[in-house]
Amino acid sequence: MSILRRVSCAACAVVALGAASAQASTAPLDSGIVARVLYGPTCPVQRPGISCVRPWQAWLTVRRLPSEALVTRARSSTAGQLRLALRPGRYLILPRNTTPYPHAPAQAVTVRAHQFTHITVRFDSGIR
């Protein structure tokens, strides 16, 4: 085989690999988390039929586990909903808290391939 033909074949292989990896990286993710963010209690005494919990708009930081590398920060809607597309793996969800309230604990979450993991983030209002 001539040198020119070998170089041409090698160049075609590099272009094909580059196109395949670019296509794989631009493919939409079909996995991640769906979060429901709640705040409560909102009343000192809960009566039957009355909910003392409401949706909450909050910032959540997502870190990859075990490295704790920052993946993204996102804010839930005013309806307390958040959907994030993430690659399969383990993540740490860190709500942005204020001192002393409202406060929500961090959560470790596993995202599986081709699935969205549903979580609830509960902010404690401090009302007792």
Side-chain angles (χ1 to χ4, degrees), residues 1-99:
M1 192 184 281
S2 72
I3 292 180
L4 182 58
R5 188 178 257 174
R6 286 182 196 169
V7 171
S8 295
C9 288
C12 289
V14 169
V15 169
L17 285 174
S21 65
Q23 189 176 26
S25 66
T26 59
L29 290 173
D30 63 349
S31 60
I33 63 166
V34 174
R36 182 175 175 211
V37 183
L38 301 174
Y39 174 85
T42 57
C43 44
V45 177
Q46 186 169 357
R47 295 187 172 86
I50 305 290
S51 176
C52 288
V53 177
R54 65 181 172 99
W56 188 246
Q57 187 173 37
W59 282 98
L60 302 177
T61 299
V62 180
R63 294 189 175 272
R64 187 80 144 146
L65 287 176
S67 68
E68 293 196 21
L70 178 65
V71 175
T72 190
R73 288 188 179 98
R75 189 172 188 182
S76 61
S77 70
T78 55
Q81 301 295 318
L82 177 66
R83 181 182 174 99
L84 288 174
L86 299 168
R87 297 188 186 291
R90 293 201 24 87
Y91 295 90
L92 183 63
I93 311 302
L94 298 159
R96 183 178 293 170
N97 294 313
T98 55
T99 304

